Amino acid sequence: MMERMLKLPVTKAAIVVSIIAVLVTMSFYNFLLFHTLVELFSVLVAFGIAAIAFHTSQLTEERNDFLNFFGVAYLCIGFLDLLHTLAYDGMGVFPGNTANLATQLWIIPRYIEAFTFLAVPFLMANPGRRIRIHYLIPVISLVLLASVFAGIFPDSFIPGEGLTPFKIISEYIISTILLISGILIWRNKEKFDKEVVKYLLLACGATILAELSFTFYVSVYGFSNMVGHLFNVASYYFIYVIMIRKKLLEPYEVINDLYQNLDKKVKVRTRELEVANMRLAQGQRRLSQLNEKLGESNRLKSEFTATMTHELRTPLTSVVAFCELMLDEVSGPITPEQRENLLDIKTSAQQLMVLVNDILDMAKHEAGSLRIHKEKVDLNDVLRMVRRSMSAIAHQNGISLDVEKTTLPFVYGDRDRIQQMVVNLVANAIKFTKDGGRITVSANGEGDFAIISVQDTGIGISPELLPHIFEKFRQGDHPKQRRKGTGLGLALVKTLAELQDGKVAVDSEVGEGSCFKIYLPFASEQNETGSISKAL
């Protein structure tokens, strides 16, 4: 591999040397043929530069936009060099002695070439800007060409005398411009690729040597003329190399690199994806196992809670029953102090019974075993039971409980669950109502629904808590509340209402009290077709 890399530059150098040797020999044998071949080669290279620039203009990086400018410039230079070749003395394309015409047509593209190199550093200072001088080059070229054929352009060569002062001074001016261009390019070399800087400087140097060579010849077939044309060809070649390298090879190398590495990258990404999928599958299996364990834990917790609360109801029921027997003096008379103590025991037991029932029903709901038995229900019966069970508790807390009768028709729901909901709302109102407050329970109708309202004069509910009041384990956080509960009462009321095709609502204002409402459907032919049991 190393041998092949070493052989390549040697082979190219041998080819270049051979071509130069052939051209030099040809110049001594037939200078016109030498000139024609060299100039046509230069013209083809200039047109090649233009073609590459035009067809790859969209591929040029912003900092290499000057290459498109080279394309426009060398299109004009190539066209003028072609006219120079056709006008060369001996070609016979144009009438008369055309040595002066050919020299004039030579000096114009050299000026354009020099100013093209001079413009490059300034173009690099403003990458991405639209290069308006693109449009000036063809215009200037046509104007100068017209001045030549109109006889306005200064003479550059006089047969028998040689080059005119204008031609010689122009060559030095062009060389000076090229030298300045090379210096500016070197000073701005950090804005170019290293290879671009190298070939730009080589092109400038070759053009300078060509121009200096053209200051010495007297005959258009002279030796210095031949040397100048060879340096000119070298200058074109260096620009062509830049075009090939930056416009064609570099994008191709990028594409080739992407192509060569695509398979490797795909394999790497595939392996990474397989590993990620494997980890994801493991995570999914682990998550599924955890979900199963969590579901089983929740089920066991709900069953345990349901069992424990159910077991608590029996002794609580006995406590309440024995309190009622003793209050009725079945076992003998009791003192006022004993009666007050028994009332406290009964009230506390009833409150505990409400909490136990809430926990039990919520556990049943979570376990999917809570059932609703719907039938026609007279709300007055429900309200009468609420008054009987909650009056003593309200009285002990210094609160007045008013339960108003209603003339509403029957509702369709579960009698015990409706009573449980209203009791929960009254118990909740007692907790948040101060001594001397009032709780009013009433019922009225609205459309197809009966509305049971529990209005209190308590502390109210803050606006930020109001949207969450029916969520599980949500409790009022007002510092003046009497006591805290489990946070299940209102959530259970909402659940039971929805199971009976109803809903709940609340209106409240801090410091003014709250009004909880239960919406239940009236009994009708559609919902009286039979007793419905809904399992959730």
Side-chain angles (χ1 to χ4, degrees):
M1 184 67 179
M2 183 62 69
E3 292 180 358
R4 290 179 60 187
M5 293 177 63
L6 292 173
K7 286 180 179 179
L8 187 59
V10 174
T11 303
K12 291 175 66 175
I15 293 173
V16 171
V17 171
S18 300
I19 292 175
I20 292 174
V22 171
L23 290 174
V24 170
T25 303
M26 185 183 298
S27 69
F28 291 110
Y29 174 73
N30 189 329
F31 192 91
L32 183 61
L33 177 61
F34 159 79
H35 179 269
T36 303
L37 290 177
V38 170
E39 287 296 337
L40 288 178
F41 177 78
S42 299
V43 170
L44 290 176
V45 172
F47 287 163
I49 292 171
I52 293 172
F54 294 154
H55 288 289
T56 60
S57 60
Q58 300 301 320
L59 301 178
T60 305
E61 294 181 9
E62 190 176 84
R63 62 192 180 92
N64 290 327
D65 194 43
F66 72 93
L67 295 177
N68 297 328
F69 173 62
F70 265 114
V72 176
Y74 273 86
L75 176 64
C76 298
I77 292 170
F79 175 71
L80 293 171
D81 279 347
L82 178 61
L83 293 179
H84 160 76
T85 304
L86 296 176
Y88 205 76
D89 192 26
M91 291 294 291
V93 176
F94 295 97
N97 191 328
T98 58
N100 181 51
L101 176 62
T103 307
Q104 289 174 319
L105 292 174
W106 170 266
I107 201 67
I108 291 174
R110 302 293 75 80
Y111 269 114
I112 295 175
E113 188 175 10
F115 281 108
T116 298
F117 278 98
L118 185 61
V120 169
F122 296 101
L123 295 177
M124 289 300 295
N126 298 284
R129 270 181 64 179
R130 186 172 181 82
I131 305 171
R132 300 186 181 279
I133 55 176
H134 280 180
Y135 307 107
L136 293 177
I137 295 175
V139 174
I140 294 173
S141 300
L142 291 175
V143 170
L144 293 175
L145 183 61
S147 68
V148 170
F149 286 101
I152 302 174
F153 197 84
D155 290 333
S156 299
F157 184 86
I158 298 176
E161 296 183 13
L163 299 175
T164 64
F166 167 76
K167 170 64 165 59
I168 296 173
I169 293 173
S170 292
E171 298 289 9
Y172 286 120
I173 293 174
I174 292 170
S175 298
T176 303
I177 294 173
L178 290 168
L179 180 61
I180 294 172
S181 301
I183 294 172
L184 292 175
I185 290 171
W186 177 255
R187 291 180 62 180
N188 292 274
K189 60 183 178 180
E190 69 278 357
K191 298 178 181 177
F192 299 86
D193 293 340
K194 291 182 179 180
E195 291 294 310
V196 172
V197 172
K198 180 178 75 173
Y199 284 105
L200 282 175
L201 294 177
L202 286 173
C204 280
T207 307
I208 291 172
L209 293 174
E211 297 310 308
L212 293 177
S213 298
F214 288 131
T215 61
F216 296 109
Y217 73 90
V218 175
S219 169
V220 292
Y221 299 129
F223 177 77
S224 62
N225 200 344
M226 179 267 292
V227 173
H229 279 88
L230 290 177
F231 279 122
N232 189 61
V233 170
S235 173
Y236 280 40
Y237 171 76
F238 292 138
I239 299 299
Y240 183 76
V241 169
I242 294 175
M243 284 291 180
I244 292 294
R245 185 177 297 275
K246 301 304 295 183
K247 288 279 198 172
L248 296 181
L249 293 182
E250 212 172 69
Y252 173 77
E253 288 171 356
V254 172
I255 295 173
N256 186 60
D257 180 66
L258 291 174
Y259 176 77
Q260 294 294 332
N261 292 287
L262 182 61
D263 186 57
K264 184 187 296 184
K265 291 179 180 178
V266 169
K267 289 180 180 178
V268 171
R269 295 295 184 269
T270 302
R271 285 196 298 271
E272 291 176 352
L273 184 60
E274 289 175 351
V275 172
N277 286 336
M278 187 181 302
R279 290 177 179 174
L280 180 61
Q282 292 174 350
Q284 289 175 336
R285 287 195 296 271
R286 178 63 177 165
L287 182 60
S288 178
Q289 294 171 356
L290 291 175
N291 284 336
E292 289 178 2
K293 291 181 179 180
L294 181 61
E296 180 66 14
S297 298
N298 285 335
R299 186 185 65 80
L300 293 174
K301 179 203 70 174
S302 298
E303 289 181 357
F304 173 78
T305 303
T307 301
M308 289 301 297
T309 51
H310 186 271
E311 293 299 324
L312 286 172
R313 293 175 69 180
T314 301
L316 283 174
T317 302
S318 299
V319 170
V320 173
F322 281 117
C323 284
E324 289 179 346
L325 288 174
M326 295 178 70
L327 288 170
D328 292 339
E329 298 183 348
V330 174
S331 302
I334 58 176
T335 65
E337 183 178 356
Q338 289 175 331
R339 179 174 295 277
E340 185 175 350
N341 291 335
L342 287 172
L343 285 173
D344 288 340
I345 294 172
K346 179 183 176 182
T347 299
S348 298
Q350 287 176 328
Q351 289 176 337
L352 183 57
M353 181 68 76
V354 171
L355 294 177
V356 169
N357 286 337
D358 289 347
I359 296 172
L360 176 61
D361 288 337
M362 191 59 71
K364 286 182 178 180
H365 174 62
E366 291 177 350
S369 59
L370 180 62
R371 297 184 179 274
I372 300 295
H373 303 281
K374 296 182 182 179
E375 58 183 349
K376 293 197 311 182
V377 178
D378 185 347
L379 288 180
N380 281 318
D381 293 340
V382 172
L383 297 178
R384 187 165 42 252
M385 295 300 297
V386 170
R387 182 190 301 111
R388 179 178 177 183
S389 61
M390 299 303 294
S391 291
I393 298 175
H395 177 72
Q396 275 201 305
N397 287 279
I399 299 170
S400 174
L401 175 62
D402 296 332
V403 180
E404 301 176 355
K405 289 185 178 181
T406 180
T407 58
L408 293 176
F410 291 157
V411 297
Y412 192 68
D414 188 315
R415 182 189 307 273
D416 294 335
R417 297 302 182 185
I418 296 173
Q419 179 181 331
Q420 183 180 1
M421 287 190 292
V422 180
V423 166
N424 271 349
L425 292 182
V426 172
N428 185 74
I430 291 173
K431 287 193 296 182
F432 294 96
T433 302
K434 297 179 291 185
D435 291 344
R438 177 181 294 275
I439 299 174
T440 303
V441 181
S442 61
N444 52 61
E446 183 179 299
D448 295 330
F449 287 87
I451 304 174
I452 304 173
S453 301
V454 178
Q455 175 79 49
D456 64 59
T457 58
I459 61 177
I461 304 169
S462 60
E464 60 271 13
L465 183 62
L466 204 58
H468 310 287
I469 196 66
F470 291 104
E471 296 176 4
K472 285 194 298 184
F473 308 116
R474 284 281 187 170
Q475 301 181 28
D477 54 359
H478 198 284
K480 296 181 179 180
Q481 71 184 72
R482 287 182 173 273
R483 61 183 68 84
K484 293 185 178 180
T486 61
L488 291 176
L490 295 180
L492 183 61
V493 171
K494 180 176 182 293
T495 299
L496 293 175
E498 291 173 350
L499 291 178
Q500 298 175 81
D501 302 318
K503 63 180 181 178
V504 292
V506 59
D507 297 317
S508 183
E509 186 175 347
V510 176
E512 299 295 329
S514 304
C515 180
F516 287 85
K517 299 177 181 179
I518 302 173
Y519 290 76
L520 294 173
F522 287 119
S524 62
E525 293 182 1
Q526 287 78 12
N527 55 29
E528 287 183 46
T529 53
S531 180
I532 302 174
S533 295
K534 182 181 290 187
L536 295 173

